[in-house]
Amino acid sequence: MIEISSSSNPHFQIWKSLLSSKGLKKEGLFILSGEKLIHEFLQNPHLEIHAEILNKKLRPVTNGAKKYILAQELFDELDEVGTHFNLLILSQPEVKKADLTQKSKGLHVIAPLGDPSNLGALIRSAEAFDVAQFILTEEAAHPFLPKCVKASAGSVLRIPLLKGPKLSQIQHPTLIGLDLNGENLTEFHWPKDCYLIVGEEGPGLGQIQLYKKIKIPISGVESLNAVIATSIALYSYRSQQTLKNQI
Amino acid sequence: MIEISSSSNPHFQIWKSLLSSKGLKKEGLFILSGEKLIHEFLQNPHLEIHAEILNKKLRPVTNGAKKYILAQELFDELDEVGTHFNLLILSQPEVKKADLTQKSKGLHVIAPLGDPSNLGALIRSAEAFDVAQFILTEEAAHPFLPKCVKASAGSVLRIPLLKGPKLSQIQHPTLIGLDLNGENLTEFHWPKDCYLIVGEEGPGLGQIQLYKKIKIPISGVESLNAVIATSIALYSYRSQQTLKNQI
């Protein structure tokens, strides 16, 4: 076990950089935090463990990994989401480039969400409703930021994530988007194979050419939260497909 | 215009206390922040404006209200959600006690959510799907915390909010709750009048006696985010009622 008490320690510097997109891109590593997520991961450790990080109060939970005991204030800096549990430094799963010239098969989601908590929550819904692929546009937050991993409840480690271009450059003949002037979702017939494209609240989908527009019928408010609206669309798609399969 | 540069100023002390539930309860005031929300409010100012708070870069947006110019660091403390726009100190709308001996009329939501952003997001969905009442249990975050007001996109100012007892003390013959062992939501027939009761992620609904249990069909993940799951249930209820009214 190696003790680290200085914030200028080069290991600590690298780990701290994993709290930002820039560091995550440069190092190819990320921090897995949260007792539940770590135990789930260790049941089937499919990513390389570079380090296990502890403070003086914690006991190790891995066998082979290199262990580092950090001074409390250094540990707290890395434990951004406040889990007070061991942290693992893991290799990132590969995130390949999306091929948008391909025909869609099943439901694909394209998302530009820049807030890591929102992105993580949507990735969790996407896994729950069994989407085929989740495509991050260039605007999207890094999916392995601690807040995104946490909000996803670990879905970022299980779902097929892909990198897409900028939102404004997305083109596909089966793009479906949420729009206040769209068809009512309660009466919408989902194609089996399509791309659901998400806009940020405010700017929305801009000039993107859509195949179909759908709207969730609401009253009072101008709009729903983008993650909630998209999750409702995913639920609608999935329940329609399940119903069709039963007939 | 009164300038304030000291954090020991008694006005500033009161305003700062509005960032916590305790201060909100004691003072009966809250901070309205956000350019869009403030402009919306000023079109129909139905709550008393106690003060308008500015920094040196901002121009007033109210007419009659008392104006205070704060030193930048004091302003930033009050601008917790980072709007960089004027702040209004308003009287809280009255939040009455819920009467759970009453028959339900329409859909009522009962929520214990302790995280102000989650609570606000759910209140926004509740307004969008036109719930009759939104009941906060004792565990719930204060609805006029700045993060809650922001996440609600102003719905906290428009929706009928009520105070309930502790979650564990809730009793009603028409309680409906989300449960992994419930009826499939896609086949569920909603009663027109009922209470939808929300559990926190993790503890869930404990020993509460439910009239019906519903489940959202998901795969892969253990559960959905609680706010998203509840919003999907609200969508399901509302679209079924709309369909019935059309027949």
Side-chain angles (χ1 to χ4, degrees), chain A residues 13-78:
Chain A
Q13 289 286 322
I14 290 177
W15 300 332
K16 206 184 142 187
S17 79
L18 304 177
L19 301 176
S20 76
S21 299
K22 200 178 152 198
L24 287 164
K25 271 184 206 152
K26 186 171 166 221
E27 304 295 340
L29 304 171
F30 74 104
I31 301 173
L32 185 67
S33 53
E35 184 165 358
K36 192 156 174 262
L37 287 189
I38 285 175
H39 285 308
E40 274 172 21
F41 169 76
L42 290 174
Q43 283 175 18
N44 169 28
H46 58 293
L47 301 168
E48 192 185 343
I49 307 174
H50 289 256
E52 176 175 2
I53 298 176
L54 306 133
N55 59 36
K56 292 215 164 108
K57 294 176 216 152
L58 295 167
R59 292 162 162 271
V61 291
T62 64
N63 288 320
K66 265 199 192 165
K67 288 166 190 70
Y68 298 85
I69 301 188
L70 267 59
Q72 190 63 42
E73 67 273 21
L74 300 186
F75 184 90
D76 290 345
E77 269 192 69
L78 298 184

Side-chain angles (χ1 to χ4, degrees), chain A residues 36 40 124-125 127-130 155 185-186 201 217-219 221-225 227-228 231-232 235 239, chain B residues 36 124-125 127-130 155 185-186 201 216-219 221-225 227-228 231-232 235 239:
Chain A
K36 192 156 174 262
E40 274 172 21
R124 182 174 173 189
S125 291
E127 188 187 16
F129 295 119
D130 203 15
S155 292
L185 182 65
T186 55
E201 274 181 61
I218 52 173
S219 62
V221 299
E222 263 177 50
S223 65
L224 287 163
N225 168 300
V227 175
I228 291 176
S231 300
I232 289 173
Y235 162 75
S239 52
Chain B
K36 192 157 176 259
R124 182 174 173 189
S125 292
E127 188 187 16
F129 295 119
D130 203 15
S155 292
L185 183 64
T186 56
E201 275 181 59
I216 299 172
I218 53 174
S219 61
V221 299
E222 262 177 51
S223 64
L224 288 162
N225 168 298
V227 175
I228 291 177
S231 299
I232 290 173
Y235 162 75
S239 52

Side-chain angles (χ1 to χ4, degrees), chain A residues 206-221:
Chain A
Q207 299 303 312
I208 293 166
Q209 273 295 327
L210 296 175
Y211 165 61
K212 296 268 187 190
K213 292 177 183 176
I214 49 178
K215 108 178 147 193
I216 300 172
I218 52 173
S219 62
V221 299

Side-chain angles (χ1 to χ4, degrees), chain A residues 129-173:
Chain A
F129 295 119
D130 203 15
V131 310
Q133 288 182 336
F134 194 102
I135 299 168
L136 304 151
T137 71
E138 274 181 27
E139 296 87 350
H142 198 292
F144 295 106
L145 284 166
K147 284 181 188 169
C148 184
V149 176
K150 185 190 179 201
S152 86
S155 292
V156 286
L157 301 181
R158 296 181 297 256
I159 199 177
L161 291 176
L162 296 168
K163 266 184 281 202
K166 278 192 195 156
L167 184 68
S168 59
Q169 290 166 359
I170 299 274
Q171 289 187 334
H172 198 275

Side-chain angles (χ1 to χ4, degrees), chain B:
Chain B
M1 297 233 211
I2 300 155
E3 293 204 18
I4 297 179
S5 57
S6 160
S7 64
S8 57
N9 175 287
H11 289 297
F12 179 76
Q13 289 285 323
I14 289 178
W15 301 332
K16 206 183 144 187
S17 79
L18 304 177
L19 302 176
S20 76
S21 298
K22 200 178 151 198
L24 287 164
K25 268 183 210 156
K26 186 170 164 220
E27 304 296 341
L29 303 171
F30 74 104
I31 302 172
L32 185 67
S33 53
E35 185 166 357
K36 192 157 176 259
L37 287 190
I38 285 175
H39 285 308
E40 276 172 19
F41 169 77
L42 289 174
Q43 282 175 19
N44 169 28
H46 58 293
L47 301 168
E48 193 185 343
I49 307 174
H50 290 256
E52 176 175 1
I53 298 176
L54 305 132
N55 60 35
K56 292 214 165 108
K57 295 177 215 151
L58 294 167
R59 292 163 160 271
V61 292
T62 63
N63 288 320
K66 265 199 193 166
K67 290 168 189 69
Y68 298 84
I69 301 187
L70 267 59
Q72 190 63 44
E73 66 273 19
L74 300 187
F75 183 90
D76 291 345
E77 269 192 70
L78 298 185
D79 183 21
E80 191 189 53
V81 292
T83 64
H84 310 292
F85 190 73
N86 309 36
L87 305 168
L88 300 184
I89 305 296
L90 304 179
S91 287
Q92 288 172 28
E94 197 187 356
V95 178
K96 290 192 185 152
K97 270 205 167 176
D99 179 2
L100 283 158
T101 58
Q102 263 190 329
K103 248 194 104 189
S104 48
K105 198 156 186 198
L107 180 62
H108 305 236
V109 173
I110 302 174
L113 303 176
D115 176 273
S117 300
N118 283 342
L119 181 65
L122 185 57
I123 290 173
R124 182 174 173 189
S125 292
E127 188 187 16
F129 295 119
D130 203 15
V131 310
Q133 287 183 335
F134 194 102
I135 298 167
L136 303 150
T137 71
E138 274 181 28
E139 296 87 350
H142 198 293
F144 295 105
L145 283 167
K147 285 182 188 170
C148 184
V149 177
K150 186 192 179 199
S152 85
S155 292
V156 285
L157 301 180
R158 296 182 298 255
I159 199 178
L161 291 177
L162 296 167
K163 266 183 278 202
K166 278 192 195 157
L167 184 68
S168 59
Q169 289 167 359
I170 299 276
Q171 289 186 333
H172 198 274
T174 66
L175 287 181
I176 296 178
L178 286 158
D179 188 289
L180 295 176
N181 301 313
E183 291 179 49
N184 192 325
L185 183 64
T186 56
E187 290 151 21
F188 183 67
H189 294 284
W190 285 92
K192 186 161 179 286
D193 304 318
C194 57
Y195 285 83
L196 177 63
I197 185 164
V198 181
E200 279 279 25
E201 275 181 59
L205 288 170
Q207 299 303 312
I208 294 166
Q209 273 294 328
L210 297 175
Y211 165 59
K212 297 268 187 190
K213 292 176 184 176
I214 49 178
K215 104 176 153 197
I216 299 172
I218 53 174
S219 61
V221 299
E222 262 177 51
S223 64
L224 288 162
N225 168 298
V227 175
I228 291 177
T230 309
S231 299
I232 290 173
L234 295 177
Y235 162 75
S236 160
Y237 170 88
R238 184 52 58 206
S239 52
Q240 233 177 61
Q241 294 305 315
T242 309
L243 226 59
K244 274 187 195 163
N245 289 343
Q246 284 169 355
I247 294 167

